Amino acid sequence: MTSSTEIAATIEALLFLASEPGAAADLATACEVEEEQVALALGLLREELEQRRRGIVLRVHGGGFSLASTPGAEDAARRLFA
């Protein structure tokens, strides 16, 4: 059985690669696990990103999930991409 930590790492990679938010059902299919396991892994991923004060956060978009930069990086991103 795959651990929540392993599933969270895979989901993080999938969301990093995705151009659109990923639905829990699609993430479950890609990871070959149940949606309940995806829900646990997403909670773990969110917690890990928040606790480590990373520049990336987990966002919920309707029925999907994505990775995004933290609001605190907005000004620096504007300067970089200006």
Side-chain angles (χ1 to χ4, degrees):
M1 183 169 178
T2 306
S3 73
S4 292
T5 302
E6 293 170 320
I7 298 168
T10 300
I11 289 172
E12 182 178 16
L14 294 174
L15 295 178
F16 175 78
L17 295 170
S19 59
E20 298 291 326
D26 295 334
L27 294 170
T29 299
C31 294
E32 298 181 319
V33 298
E34 299 295 321
E35 280 190 59
E36 294 80 19
Q37 292 173 282
V38 168
L40 290 172
L42 285 166
L44 179 62
L45 178 58
R46 178 186 303 271
E47 184 178 305
E48 287 179 357
L49 291 171
E50 288 175 358
Q51 285 181 353
R52 292 185 179 164
R53 296 187 178 132
R54 304 292 303 251
I56 301 295
V57 295
L58 181 65
R59 302 264 180 195
V60 180
H61 301 275
F65 302 87
S66 67
L67 295 176
S69 59
T70 60
E74 185 176 334
D75 290 340
R78 286 184 186 172
R79 287 188 296 274
L80 177 65
F81 297 111

